[in-house]
Amino acid sequence: MPIFEFECTKCARKFEYLVRSSGDKPECPKCANTKLKKLISGFAFTSKDGSGATTASSAGCSGCSGGDCSSCRH
Ligand SMILES: [Zn+2]
């Protein structure tokens, strides 16, 4: 069961979320927003400046760049 780190696109709150199934939808614990940016934990990649679009292929496909569309989840 992988634990992913997400950042809320609304309030920039970062939190970890345990994904139990591929259909599991995390939401921000602060504002309940479900539009989240998936962060890569345990990997030399930080997206604080938002310029790492082509760096992490596992963060999502080029269509959504957030790991949260049907074509980048299996
Ligand atoms: Zn939020």
Side-chain angles (χ1 to χ4, degrees), residues 17-71:
Y17 185 85
L18 177 63
V19 178
R20 274 162 288 199
S21 71
S22 58
D24 221 357
K25 285 282 185 183
E27 66 174 34
C28 175
K30 190 178 176 187
C31 69
N33 178 29
T34 55
K35 292 206 185 309
L36 305 166
K37 191 163 65 179
K38 188 193 279 183
L39 306 175
I40 308 301
S41 52
F43 190 66
F45 170 71
T46 52
S47 57
K48 285 191 173 71
D49 57 4
S51 64
T54 60
T55 310
S57 57
S58 60
C61 66
S62 56
C64 68
S65 73
D68 199 39
C69 75
S70 56
S71 65

